[in-house]
Amino acid sequence: MTIDTLLSLLEKVRRTGDGKYIACCPAHDDSDPSLAVTDLPDGRILIYCFAGCSPGAVVESLGLSLNDLFPDGGIAQHMHGGTPGYRKQQIQKANDIETDRLILRMAEESRKKRETLSRDDLELEKQAFLNVRNHERKRNGETQWQE
């Protein structure tokens, strides 16, 4: 599935950056867009509902499956090598860091619009920042810092 196909199934779609969109989540009664959608360079599509809906619930409500978010139509086919449990863990790590980066971009967009972030949003932003920083430090062979 392409990003354009997925976006055509959603309501109130707005582009927030290069390959990044926000829309109403179809898995719950959403009048203020809370579903972040990111088109990753390798063709995968990342979705995250800030109201808490799981990716599975989001795609099910559209009559799709999680496999539809991958360019080759399958999660296992996307990851090469390792056991199914290892591949699942690697997929989760990749999705987590992309979600954290998306949270940071959305917080930045809110600040640009002079919107006030709630205490929960600030805490989510802080944790996302720490996660991204630790991920980058680990990738660069540096010591990780926790707060």
Side-chain angles (χ1 to χ4, degrees), residues 8-42:
S8 72
L9 301 173
L10 300 172
E11 295 180 9
K12 294 187 180 179
V13 177
R14 190 176 84 240
R15 186 171 185 261
T16 60
D18 188 30
K20 295 161 185 49
Y21 305 87
I22 192 153
C24 288
C25 176
H28 72 274
D29 187 23
D30 195 5
S31 58
D32 187 29
S34 64
L35 181 69
V37 181
T38 303
D39 189 18
L40 300 175
D42 64 4

Side-chain angles (χ1 to χ4, degrees), residues 53-74:
C53 299
S54 71
V58 173
V59 295
E60 271 184 36
S61 67
L62 295 170
L64 304 171
S65 75
L66 289 173
N67 285 335
D68 293 316
L69 301 179
F70 290 80
D72 55 12

